[in-house]
Amino acid sequence: MKLLLALLLLPVSLSVSAAMPEVDRYVEAKMADHLIPGLALVVIREGKVVHRRGFGELGTAQPIIIGSLSKAFTATAVMTLVEAGKIDLDAPMQRYLPASTFDDPGMAGVTVRQLLNQTSGLPADAPRADGHDASLAAHVAALRGVRLVSTPGTQHLYSSPNYQLLGRIVEVVSGESFGDYVQRRVLDPLQMTSSSTKGAGNAAPGHNLWWGWAGPSTYRWEPGRLPTASIVASADDLSRFVLWQLGGEPRILSDESRALLHRGVGKSEYFSYAMGWREGTTAGVPSLWHGGAVPSYRGAVVMIPQSRSGVIVLTNMSTMFADHTREIAAGVVASMEQGPRPEGFRPLRQVYALVAVGSLLLLGFAVHGLVRALRQPGGKEKWKIIAFDLLLPLAAIVVAPRIFHVSYRAMWEGAPDITLTVAVAVLLGVVAAVFKLVRRQDTVIGRT
């Protein structure tokens, strides 16, 4: 009896899965091209799951940290409060964040709708609070000194802090933590039982690529970034969310509010940003889509509202060099719609072959320089050794993060192999410079 009841509670749409050998072969080929250790795929047609399969290390029931796919859940949570009359989309956000003060007076005019549509003018590199365990309130407080780069409402600029602010608004208005509210109002009604806003303890192991090898990841789950990056979900659970987005039950929002989530407003070159979704085309087909990436995990979701279809692709690997999940999802959509698959993507195995060769060359030059410093006295004048061999590399290490707006932590988490290679090469260069100075000093003393 209990088994029968459990089966009845499962969405009927998840019980059907047809073989799609051509799609599976395509996915397997792309996994080999992009060095992907594990991938979960779900295909939806006409409001039903027609194919679901795990490849390699990742199954469709295994959750990962879904990155910016979290934004669609944040937008949904905000709209539930709009329908409850607790949030006005066109009210200034500071109506709901009275304790928040910003140095830029333009921030006072940013509305909730502009945050959702990513047209607030907040820069993409707006600061975050330090530490993996920083709270959502701390991340919002870190925005105090931020300066808008465009007039609110005039330009789309994708900036994750928009959704951090939205998450904090949810907390203030609802009186609950963001995670608790999303769990109660979105995840639980959709029976997303393997999803979590409390931690990533049940997530599949994630990977960084170390010179082309799927190795361990240094990334840790960040609780304060739930609204923009840290929700944990499986492909099966995301299929329930997508089915609801495509018009399914339960009634979390009215049809009008659900349609508003999908209406593109923030105009970009190839799409319009809606609310947690991009409205544009995928493989030439009108679609709503979004990607999500954190170090060691990556995902993509495509929805085709006209046919109530969709594709979900999750992987337990991420890299700074390519969006492999978006490419694979587009290829699956092309197969579904019998159109040409996207081309022009360079396989990551080729990219990482170059990374490996470049790393070996860089370390080889560094070792060669150290050996020469140990064997040959004299050489450059003292000031040149200090300026070019010692201070210049150290200055580059200090200045580079400021130029590229990336922290040392982000570099280590996103590209540990390159970061380690450069660090070792610089260290060897500094040691060589010190030996040059010591040998030169000894040589000068010997001459006198």
Side-chain angles (χ1 to χ4, degrees), residues 381-397:
E381 296 178 31
K382 183 178 180 179
W383 73 268
K384 290 183 178 180
I385 296 173
I386 294 174
F388 296 108
D389 294 356
L390 189 61
L391 295 182
L392 187 61
L394 292 175
I397 292 296

Side-chain angles (χ1 to χ4, degrees), residues 195-313:
S195 299
S196 175
T197 60
K198 301 295 185 183
N202 64 333
H207 298 283
N208 286 121
L209 289 181
W210 296 70
W211 304 284
W213 172 68
S217 169
T218 61
Y219 177 71
R220 291 192 291 115
W221 181 74
E222 298 174 274
R225 298 187 66 221
L226 273 172
T228 189
S230 292
I231 290 177
V232 175
S234 67
D236 283 343
D237 273 4
L238 284 174
S239 70
R240 292 176 171 89
F241 184 62
V242 168
L243 286 166
W244 171 77
Q245 290 276 344
L246 292 171
E249 297 292 335
R251 190 178 172 82
I252 297 173
L253 291 174
S254 67
D255 291 343
E256 292 76 17
S257 292
R258 190 159 41 188
L260 188 59
L261 290 174
H262 299 166
R263 188 177 304 150
V265 173
K267 302 294 183 183
S268 189
E269 186 175 1
Y270 299 109
F271 61 85
S272 295
Y273 202 89
M275 296 179 177
W277 297 102
R278 292 179 171 97
E279 182 184 27
T281 60
T282 301
V285 180
S287 62
L288 295 160
W289 58 275
H290 212 288
V294 293
S296 67
Y297 300 104
R298 186 177 285 270
V301 172
V302 178
M303 301 192 301
I304 307 172
Q306 186 174 0
S307 61
R308 296 187 66 213
S309 301
V311 174
I312 299 160
V313 177

Side-chain angles (χ1 to χ4, degrees), residues 23-32 39 41 55 328 332:
V23 166
D24 289 349
R25 286 194 294 270
Y26 168 75
V27 169
E28 288 168 343
K30 286 299 175 182
M31 288 180 69
L39 182 147
L41 170 70
F55 299 80
I328 294 170
V332 175

Side-chain angles (χ1 to χ4, degrees), residues 338-381:
Q338 298 182 337
R341 288 177 176 145
E343 298 180 352
F345 294 89
R346 183 182 296 277
L348 279 174
R349 54 184 169 80
Q350 294 181 6
V351 173
Y352 274 90
L354 294 176
V355 169
V357 170
S359 297
L360 285 172
L361 288 174
L362 182 59
L363 291 175
F365 284 128
V367 170
H368 177 69
L370 178 60
V371 171
R372 287 189 60 186
L374 292 172
R375 289 181 176 177
Q376 298 178 7
K380 299 178 184 176
E381 296 178 31

